[in-house]
Amino acid sequence: MQKLIFGSLLLTGFNPELHAQETPQNLPNLVVTATRTETAKNQLAAAATVYTRKDIEHLQAKTLPELLRGTTGIDMAQSGGYGKDTNIYMRGTNSDHVLVLIDGIKVGSVTSGTTPFQFIPIDQVERVEIIRGPQSSLYGSEAIGGVIQIFTRKSGLEDKPSVTLDVGGGSYDTYRASGTVSGKWKNSWYTLGSSQFGSQGFNSRQPIPGRFGVNQPDKDGYLNTALNARLGHRFDNNAKVEAFFMRAEGKTEFDGNSQEKTEFVNQVVGITGNIDIVDNWRSILRFGQSRDEGDNFAPGGAFSSRFNSTRWNTSWLNEIALSDTHQLIIGSDYRLDQVDSSSAFNEGSRYDVGIFTELHGRILDDHFINASVRGDKNEAFGDQLTGNFGWRYNGNYGISPFASFGNAFKAPSFNQLYFPEFGNPSLKAEESTSFEAGLIGEHDWLQWEMRAYHTNIDNLIVTITNPTTFLSSPENIGKAQIDGIEAEIGVQFMDWHNKLNMNLLNPKNRETNARLPRRTEKTLSYDLSRSFGKFDLGANVLAQADRFDDALNKTKVAGYVTVDLRTAYHLNKNWMLNVKLNNLLDKQYQTINTYNTADRNFFLSIHYNN
């Protein structure tokens, strides 16, 4: 262990034009997450979607799940309204097969292995980058389906302080209030923001008959109070240090026999420093901690259970400019996961250390390659080696073919390994291999993209129940195959902005040939927008086919179509009035069997920005 950590610290490497894991603010054509350094999207084979702060405000998204809904390659299943469990299935993989980072720090529950997207406050978010496809060769465990990195609010570039305010309310007694102040002074910069989101909600679940059924026809509310802070300084030698903090805490109510309320805390804190060792070599060091805490309460208010996760993250990233056309990244990560719970887990912590390198280069002017390899040593299940290779050619007529291959893995969660009378400490990591190819077109008024991919997943962890003892335990016996096609078309015509996304998916169990649960095979999303003087108008249509709620494909959940409308009126250069109408057709639909979704609803807000 000590030898491996020491060896990783000897690996070094910088391109003075790049800034690893920093946010390229409102530049949608640059991404950080795909290579762990700022890279132009048109040099990558990887599928990337970027939401800037401008996009978030334009779409009038009140929550992170609302922003991600309908995104190419993402399927979502929610157990109720605001603040309820949200499962993200990226390219048909499991909900725990997506890695989530906040400002470069790995977040999520150590026990369940998933991330509570519903608790991440969107008012504290500057930018969201979504990279689809295997990324374990850069990040290690969990990145089978892809990576979602969330960057918190950052300061502007002006010496004059910038202030934003947002206040609004709507259906289900929902309200939101947020404020941010940011700026710079000489070589220092700062950001401070806070927000609160609350809703009385609606009944999250239909009555379920039977001995273990649920019948709680009440409103299931949600409250989230959040704070974000950032402070940085650049020294005369161009070295830089920046500290950041985000915390969200509150409560969410739901329908259940043994539990009906969770009080949560989600927090991430970190510090990053970088320095130019020589002209072509930058070294970046990051240290941080993320916390995912939840206290659960039974009907009547009695305490039921506690699951607290802590993740300590350290990374050393080095960038070397080998030439004008080739950059090398070499680095290492160390993570320590810890659990504090009312349940007596058989183990309370584990570590993982990884060493990786990535080469990004341009060959013959128009060909771009990305190649990466990583080795991980995990205290629970041993060593893992992953790699990825991508190629892209930017032709003379705006058409770019590309292809990539990669493998990835997912470490078993603490529940799967160590939960009392359930966990199996002999579990191995889930493993995947993926192929992808396609075409991208970039033209004056038309942008389009089509991708086809094939993924095999082995050693999937499946819960098995002993027919004699009726005791359950997880085993590495599952196999899955996922084939998919993604298409995106963007058209600008007579000042109308059109964006069409399509997902065709065949996610199946290779042993039973059944469709993987809670995945839809067809998704179509269409967004239309235009400005008329002081008015901005927009509409979004989302159509999804049916899905099955169980592994045996016996419980079908019907497909649906929703229509959302939005408008904004610019009162002047500082003030703007927003109105959004969701589910215009008042469609009654579900994404998880028996769990309700919102009826027709509206939200009105006023926004100030100086």
Side-chain angles (χ1 to χ4, degrees), residues 17 103 164 171 210 227 256 335 367 380 395 457 491 548 582:
E17 301 297 324
D103 289 329
T164 65
S171 303
L227 176 68
R335 188 181 76 250
H367 296 263
I457 308 177
V491 179
F548 292 101
N582 294 311

Side-chain angles (χ1 to χ4, degrees), residues 415-437:
N415 283 352
Q416 293 166 336
L417 287 168
Y418 307 125
F419 195 84
E421 299 182 5
F422 173 79
N424 178 2
S426 300
L427 288 175
K428 301 177 182 178
E430 299 174 322
E431 300 177 338
S432 73
T433 56
S434 296
F435 300 86
E436 180 177 349

Side-chain angles (χ1 to χ4, degrees), residues 244-511:
F244 49 89
F245 170 84
M246 187 182 76
R247 178 184 174 93
E249 62 177 285
K251 65 177 181 178
T252 185
E253 300 169 343
F254 48 92
D255 291 338
N257 283 320
S258 59
Q259 298 176 348
E260 66 171 12
K261 185 177 74 171
T262 295
E263 294 182 356
F264 64 87
V265 172
N266 284 90
Q267 178 178 295
V268 59
V269 59
I271 185 169
T272 300
N274 62 58
I275 188 172
D276 297 351
I277 306 299
V278 293
D279 288 344
N280 68 332
W281 170 14
R282 169 170 289 175
S283 186
I284 305 102
L285 183 65
R286 173 177 287 109
F287 177 76
Q289 180 208 66
S290 64
R291 292 165 53 191
D292 180 287
E293 301 179 354
D295 288 346
N296 304 300
F297 297 87
F303 174 81
S304 176
S305 63
R306 180 185 70 253
F307 293 94
N308 293 345
S309 299
T310 302
R311 282 181 151 159
W312 298 91
N313 294 254
T314 302
S315 64
W316 190 351
L317 189 67
N318 297 275
E319 302 173 349
I320 303 172
L322 301 176
S323 67
D324 292 339
T325 57
H326 290 80
Q327 292 82 38
L328 180 68
I329 297 175
I330 307 175
S332 62
D333 298 318
Y334 174 78
R335 188 181 76 250
L336 177 65
D337 293 341
Q338 297 174 321
V339 172
D340 177 22
S341 173
S342 56
S343 299
F345 280 75
N346 298 327
E347 295 286 345
S349 67
R350 69 177 179 189
Y351 70 82
D352 182 282
V353 61
I355 301 173
F356 61 92
T357 184
E358 194 258 355
L359 175 67
H360 172 65
R362 186 174 77 239
I363 302 174
L364 301 176
D365 293 331
D366 300 320
H367 296 263
F368 295 88
I369 61 169
N370 284 86
S372 55
V373 64
R374 178 181 173 114
D376 280 271
K377 181 178 179 59
N378 189 284
E379 184 179 17
F381 61 84
D383 301 335
Q384 203 77 25
L385 182 67
T386 51
N388 199 305
F389 179 82
W391 161 83
R392 173 169 174 158
Y393 170 67
N394 290 340
N396 295 327
Y397 301 99
I399 298 178
S400 302
F402 60 86
S404 64
F405 164 79
N407 68 322
F409 74 98
K410 163 66 173 65
S413 69
F414 266 69
N415 283 352
Q416 293 166 336
L417 287 168
Y418 307 125
F419 195 84
E421 299 182 5
F422 173 79
N424 178 2
S426 300
L427 288 175
K428 301 177 182 178
E430 299 174 322
E431 300 177 338
S432 73
T433 56
S434 296
F435 300 86
E436 180 177 349
L439 292 171
I440 295 175
E442 296 282 348
H443 312 285
D444 291 339
W445 56 274
L446 172 67
Q447 299 81 41
W448 56 273
E449 183 173 321
M450 181 169 289
R451 297 173 179 269
Y453 58 88
H454 169 83
T455 299
N456 278 327
I457 308 177
D458 294 309
N459 292 335
L460 271 174
I461 298 174
V462 178
T463 299
I464 301 298
T465 301
N466 188 306
T468 303
T469 64
F470 297 103
L471 296 177
S472 299
S473 65
E475 303 288 345
N476 289 107
I477 62 172
K479 297 180 179 181
Q481 177 178 318
I482 304 170
D483 298 298
I485 295 176
E486 298 171 349
E488 296 182 353
I489 301 176
V491 179
Q492 291 79 44
F493 180 70
M494 297 182 63
D495 295 327
W496 288 95
H497 300 275
N498 302 262
K499 180 68 179 296
L500 180 68
N501 302 332
M502 181 189 72
N503 299 314
L504 299 177
L505 194 66
N506 182 21
K508 65 179 182 180
N509 184 317
R510 295 204 325 253
E511 296 179 327

